[in-house]
Amino acid sequence: MASDSLVSIVVTLTPHPDKLDRMLIVITQCIDILKEAIRIVRNTEPGNLRYHLNVEMKGDRRGESIVFLEDYENQAAWDNHCQGEAYDYMTKTFADEDILAKTPSLVFIKPLAGWTSR
């Protein structure tokens, strides 16, 4: 992957069945950390172009996984994100509390066709 290329990632976190609610609380706390320091985050992660938190849906019911859709300006921006406070907090808490049922799935993707908005 070229260092100046857009980095797009789909990250899927699958908790143990009885820990999905706890995972959502941890993620919310991370979001709260980012909200409290939004000015700092914007200044320290200028290459973070998209960071969408989603919950898997099965019909009209919540599924078993949390899915992040992320875009970074380049590899350096992705690396910077991985060294951030919220990232550290989430990974440490998930490990300490044995929240994840399996290793997170990181799928690096490259857009082929489509649009973001009209």
Side-chain angles (χ1 to χ4, degrees):
M1 178 179 326
S3 63
D4 60 348
S5 298
L6 176 72
V7 176
S8 295
I9 308 162
V10 177
V11 179
T12 304
L13 304 175
T14 305
H16 293 287
D18 61 333
K19 297 206 176 177
L20 179 59
D21 289 332
R22 176 63 184 141
M23 175 189 277
L24 291 170
I25 289 168
V26 171
I27 290 170
T28 299
Q29 289 170 340
C30 291
I31 291 168
D32 289 344
I33 289 169
L34 292 176
K35 283 181 180 177
E36 291 174 15
I38 193 71
R39 186 178 58 78
I40 295 168
V41 170
R42 284 188 184 268
N43 289 336
T44 61
E45 289 196 33
N48 186 328
L49 306 175
R50 176 175 71 153
Y51 194 72
H52 289 165
L53 171 62
N54 305 271
V55 64
E56 172 192 17
M57 296 300 293
K58 294 192 177 192
D60 61 352
R61 294 180 23 186
R62 186 174 72 187
E64 302 169 351
S65 298
I66 300 298
V67 179
F68 288 90
L69 302 176
E70 306 176 32
D71 287 328
Y72 298 89
E73 191 172 81
N74 52 36
Q75 184 65 43
W78 161 246
D79 294 341
N80 184 56
H81 170 72
C82 293
Q83 296 168 9
E85 179 181 357
Y87 185 92
D88 288 344
Y89 173 77
M90 275 198 310
T91 56
K92 181 178 180 344
T93 303
F94 291 164
D96 290 351
E97 297 186 26
D98 189 32
I99 288 175
L100 298 179
K102 58 185 178 181
T103 303
S105 166
L106 276 71
V107 178
F108 290 83
I109 59 175
K110 181 176 182 177
L112 295 176
W115 66 88
T116 301
S117 64
R118 291 186 183 209

